[in-house]
Amino acid sequence: GSEVVGGMVVSNDGELLKSEYRKFKMSRNVNDDIGNLQELLVRRLRHSEWPLPQLIVIDGGKTQLAAAYDVCKRMNVPISIVSVLKDEAHKGVEILTAPEAQYPQEYTRHIFEINAEVHRYALHYHKSLRRNASLGKKVSDHIKAVKKKARQE
């Protein structure tokens, strides 16, 4: 697809901190779940001015979880990571944990909420980029048509 993006939301003590949300436009415009997840995590973890999270929640199954775990291990960043498995309706149904990952069971509902929120946030960003790209193409096409007509006259 076009305009491949990812998102990050931040929660502290169960409260979503919208001022801390971040958008990421992937450097390669290809549908590569693992590559895009790794890029997003590397870019996020390189921001030393942002506090490290206690827990990273990602989308996907065992493969995505292993990829995220590898990034953190490679960057020597000891953070618990969980992955949310979803059903056909994109509703979170199970939480997988990376090795050594821990989270209080009472956080389960909040983890699902965080996952849904980041999906909503990233989707909104994706749609705005596609809308702007489409508008830009329409303007560009219009300019080309006007120039072509002017040359013909």
Side-chain angles (χ1 to χ4, degrees):
S2 63
E3 309 299 344
V4 180
V5 302
M8 174 185 96
V9 302
V10 177
S11 173
N12 191 15
D13 291 330
E15 182 183 339
L16 293 169
L17 306 176
K18 294 192 177 198
S19 65
E20 301 296 318
Y21 286 17
R22 298 292 181 263
K23 304 170 196 167
F24 296 89
K25 187 167 193 259
M26 299 298 100
S27 62
R28 298 173 313 126
N29 220 10
V30 292
N31 286 329
D32 173 8
D33 269 1
I34 302 305
N36 292 330
L37 173 62
Q38 290 172 326
E39 177 185 337
L40 187 147
L41 286 172
V42 166
R43 287 171 58 189
R44 161 54 184 101
L45 295 172
R46 283 190 177 148
H47 278 277
S48 57
E49 73 277 16
W50 297 346
L52 286 177
Q54 293 177 328
L55 178 69
I56 293 176
V57 178
I58 64 166
D59 243 3
K62 292 178 183 177
T63 304
Q64 288 82 359
L65 186 61
Y69 180 74
D70 288 345
V71 167
C72 290
K73 206 152 181 67
R74 197 171 57 239
M75 295 183 73
N76 200 25
V77 181
I79 300 173
S80 291
I81 307 168
V82 298
S83 180
V84 175
L85 282 177
K86 296 180 178 176
D87 62 15
E88 298 79 31
H90 296 285
K91 182 175 166 67
V93 292
E94 185 180 350
I95 298 172
L96 304 176
T97 57
E100 299 124 29
Q102 295 180 21
Y103 70 93
Q105 289 303 307
E106 61 268 17
Y107 286 12
T108 299
R109 195 184 98 215
H110 190 58
I111 288 171
F112 286 135
E113 289 169 354
I114 288 169
N115 183 261
E117 175 65 1
V118 75
H119 187 262
R120 180 205 64 76
Y121 181 68
L123 188 59
H124 182 270
Y125 178 48
H126 171 75
K127 286 180 177 180
S128 73
L129 288 176
R130 288 194 54 168
R131 191 170 36 254
N132 289 343
S134 175
L135 179 61
K137 182 173 176 5
K138 287 177 185 174
V139 169
S140 175
D141 290 348
H142 179 70
I143 291 169
K144 287 177 188 173
V146 168
K147 285 181 178 180
K148 183 178 179 182
K149 186 175 181 181
R151 280 193 303 267
Q152 292 172 346
E153 293 177 350

